[in-house]
Amino acid sequence: MAFINSEDVAWHEGEEKMQSLLHVPYQDNPTSPFLTPGAAHMLQISPLLAIGVLDSSGRPWTTIWGGDPGFARSLGSSIIGVKISVDPAYDPVVKALLDGKAGREVVSNGSVGRLISGLAINLNTRKRVKIAGRMAAVAFNLAKSDSVLPSEKSTAGELQLVVKVEESLGNCPKYLNKKHIIASWPSPELLLDTLPLSNRAVSLLAKSDLFFVSSSNAEKTMGTNYRGGPPGFTRLIANDVLKVILVYPEYSGNRFYQTLGNLYTTPRAGFVFPDSETGDVLYITGDTEILIGKEAAGVLPHSNLAVMIHVFAARFVQRGLPFRGEAGEPSPYNPPIRYLASEQKLLRTVENSNSASTAKLLQKDLLAPSIARFRFSINDYAATTVPWEAGQHVALSLADELSLGYSHMRDSDPRSLNDDYTRSFTISSQPGDLPREQFEITIRDVGVVTGFMFRQNVRAGLEVGVVGFGGDFVIEQPQDGDTGDRRSVAFVAGGIGITPLLGQVGRLDLTWLHLFWTINLRDIGLVSDAFERHPRLPSSTSLFVSGEVGTERVGPLMEKVEASGARILKRRLRGDDLLEWERKEGSTKRWYICTVTGLRKSLLEWLGEREVLWEDFGY
């Protein structure tokens, strides 16, 4: 019987440092110093294999190979063999493996082979296993694959690779978006090998819901792993001749921090972004920067941990992949996209605050069964000016009240693992209407955070974190003395989408504004309250009321609304309502929209080429 080395694999200094920085209790390294039977089985049944190597200058690159399961398998004694169709011309890993050799290299006895790492992964079953070791042999020829026919114009061929595995470790299924993989002979065409990134490369990043990353601890060990999320979770910070910078959030994981540990000691990584629908692929290598805490949140709000990539080199290859994929179910663990602070125009913090600010709940007014107005006062606010402007929102954190702490898996509520319990709400009070330290938000009960707020008794003295203020959804219209364009502006609100207007209505000349407001009858209390607070608003409003509810509940409120002077139509809003109004009033200077996504899409179709500004309706 062959002897198996069963010594423990120790954490290296970078892994230990990252675990210390992120306050992770000590745990043994679960990595095995050989190819485990489970890893060998996973390797053989996986349709995808990501491979990472270092090039001649020590820069890491990553590639992704795939097709019919079985192209990689165990040969015994922690040796694996790979036989796969590849792109030898533009795949940076293939070029590094062959390293100018005439298509073949064998590492002789006593020599140390090239450092190499891999990730065998089955996206359909959401299973993966990491492997790392040393190359033992590689060969390449232009023969046909056993399972697919090559294109007549293809320069692809067959790679055979033998690796001595020195480490293996299975990983969890989180953030793995399902894909069904089928073999496809590559027909590569290089479209980009310089910076900045081309439009097609940027478009691939914007749709990508996964990438593979390889990193090393100097030239001692190496690792390849997967990162997944919603499409577009990798954000582009800069893309010009001077610099190309990407950033992605590190979601809650197993807290081993093996990739980040490598990046701590050796801040370089190689990435591959595959488009399994088209076969296109983007290869990137660059220098990395780990962002923790406020540094991460400052670039990528709602993130406690992120990685910034300063791209050194890139290649975009058309039809370079040896497989295609059919998209399936996204991971239930995927959080919403975290946009750049620059994309959100966020956030300026409360003035004169050297530490986290808080606000106390002063008042709660229920306006409809699922809509309420909340008034807060910023604690210890010493500035002499109001810290926000009309048209802005406030980001509030309820993490102290709602966070459950760390869990590796949480199948009962998977998205809560990455929930920082910070939400942004439009400020519905107008600057100057309240004491400078107070503000109001008018919100619907739609989830964990808002549900918690709705359940609060004001006397309990709830205090929430104030992350900051931001946004600039400002309604612009002609002012007195303006000799320029005097055309009207229109605002289309869906239900609670009225709040940006409520925070600005006091400064507007309503003779130049018309409000199209669509509302469900159960929320008529919101309309009644808005008209009572802003008595000039009804005469500039077309109100569309739909839905049914017991008249004993809303009858008196509906009567008040009907007596307000607003134009009321008891049906849904239609496109011809907007166009007919415009025909009567003349051309409209600008349309403002704050509605749910479905209605917004219809409005944009109805309004065609007109100038439209819209506010995101999400919490």
Side-chain angles (χ1 to χ4, degrees), residues 454-486:
F454 268 70
R455 294 192 299 271
Q456 293 303 298
N457 187 314
V458 174
R459 289 177 294 180
L462 173 68
E463 293 191 357
V464 301
V466 180
V467 179
F469 299 89
D472 59 356
F473 191 57
V474 178
I475 302 168
E476 297 179 357
Q477 61 173 188
Q479 302 297 319
D480 291 341
D482 186 355
T483 58
D485 192 345
R486 297 289 292 173

Side-chain angles (χ1 to χ4, degrees), residues 188-199:
E189 180 181 352
L190 181 66
L191 300 185
L192 170 80
D193 63 355
T194 59
L195 299 176
L197 300 178
S198 65
N199 290 338

Side-chain angles (χ1 to χ4, degrees), residues 339-359:
Y339 293 97
L340 298 173
S342 57
E343 292 176 289
Q344 302 181 55
K345 299 176 181 176
L346 279 178
L347 276 167
R348 63 188 177 98
T349 56
V350 180
E351 287 185 62
N352 298 344
S353 175
N354 296 319
S355 59
S357 297
T358 60

Side-chain angles (χ1 to χ4, degrees), residues 70-264:
F71 68 84
R73 63 182 61 202
S74 170
L75 304 178
S77 299
S78 289
I79 304 292
I80 67 167
V82 180
K83 184 178 179 182
I84 185 70
S85 59
V86 297
D87 159 24
Y90 310 120
D91 184 326
V93 169
V94 175
K95 291 180 73 67
L97 287 172
L98 297 177
D99 195 24
K101 307 297 189 299
R104 186 178 301 272
E105 179 184 0
V106 177
V107 178
S108 60
N109 290 335
S111 299
V112 177
R114 174 187 294 275
L115 197 62
I116 192 168
S117 58
L119 180 77
I121 186 168
N122 187 331
L123 291 172
N124 248 358
T125 61
R126 296 191 170 119
K127 293 182 178 180
R128 53 180 162 159
V129 64
K130 294 170 59 181
I131 56 173
R134 299 277 176 173
M135 187 186 80
V138 65
F140 174 80
N141 61 66
L142 292 174
K144 295 182 179 180
S145 166
D146 294 334
S147 56
V148 289
L149 294 175
S151 162
E152 292 181 0
K153 298 181 180 180
S154 175
T155 59
E158 185 176 80
L159 182 85
Q160 296 183 62
L161 175 67
V162 179
V163 175
K164 170 66 174 177
V165 175
E166 298 172 344
E167 295 182 358
S168 65
L169 175 66
N171 273 186
C172 72
K174 287 186 296 188
Y175 320 120
L176 271 66
N177 302 305
K178 287 190 174 183
K179 285 181 175 60
H180 175 65
I181 302 300
I182 56 175
S184 178
W185 191 268
S187 181
E189 180 181 352
L190 181 66
L191 300 185
L192 170 80
D193 63 355
T194 59
L195 299 176
L197 300 178
S198 65
N199 290 338
R200 286 188 61 175
V202 171
S203 295
L204 192 158
L205 284 173
K207 66 182 286 190
S208 182
D209 64 355
L210 77 156
F211 64 79
F212 298 89
V213 53
S214 298
S215 58
S216 72
N217 175 28
E219 296 187 7
K220 303 173 186 176
T221 59
M222 198 165 183
T224 296
N225 216 329
Y226 166 101
R227 294 294 185 269
F233 75 100
T234 302
R235 309 307 295 171
L236 183 61
I237 295 177
N239 185 39
D240 55 45
V241 293
L242 298 178
K243 58 183 179 296
V244 178
I245 304 175
L246 310 176
V247 68
Y248 70 89
E250 282 282 347
Y251 300 140
S252 175
N254 54 26
R255 302 205 293 183
F256 299 159
Y257 299 120
Q258 292 173 311
T259 298
L260 295 187
N262 286 344
L263 299 185
Y264 184 86

Side-chain angles (χ1 to χ4, degrees), residues 3-68:
F3 174 75
I4 296 178
N5 178 11
S6 59
E7 294 180 3
D8 292 339
V9 176
W11 300 115
H12 67 65
E13 96 176 86
E15 294 165 335
E16 290 179 335
K17 183 63 176 180
M18 287 305 304
Q19 292 168 14
S20 173
L21 287 172
L22 295 164
H23 310 292
V24 178
Y26 179 79
Q27 54 188 325
D28 290 332
N29 190 339
T31 303
S32 297
F34 54 87
L35 183 70
T36 65
H41 176 69
M42 187 67 214
L43 182 74
Q44 185 160 342
I45 65 173
S46 295
L48 291 175
L49 178 64
I51 293 289
V53 296
L54 303 178
D55 65 14
S56 58
S57 63
R59 285 201 167 272
W61 290 90
T62 308
T63 191
I64 180 68
W65 300 331
D68 297 328

Side-chain angles (χ1 to χ4, degrees), residues 339-408:
Y339 293 97
L340 298 173
S342 57
E343 292 176 289
Q344 302 181 55
K345 299 176 181 176
L346 279 178
L347 276 167
R348 63 188 177 98
T349 56
V350 180
E351 287 185 62
N352 298 344
S353 175
N354 296 319
S355 59
S357 297
T358 60
K360 183 177 180 179
L361 178 62
L362 300 180
Q363 184 175 327
K364 180 178 73 173
D365 299 310
L366 191 66
L367 307 180
S370 63
I371 297 175
R373 180 173 53 243
F374 296 81
R375 181 179 298 182
F376 288 91
S377 178
I378 301 173
N379 293 326
D380 301 321
Y381 185 71
T384 58
T385 58
V386 176
W388 64 89
E389 300 170 1
Q392 290 197 309
H393 53 255
V394 60
L396 301 179
S397 172
L398 280 82
D400 289 346
E401 302 288 343
L402 295 174
S403 178
L404 299 176
Y406 173 76
S407 296
H408 182 205

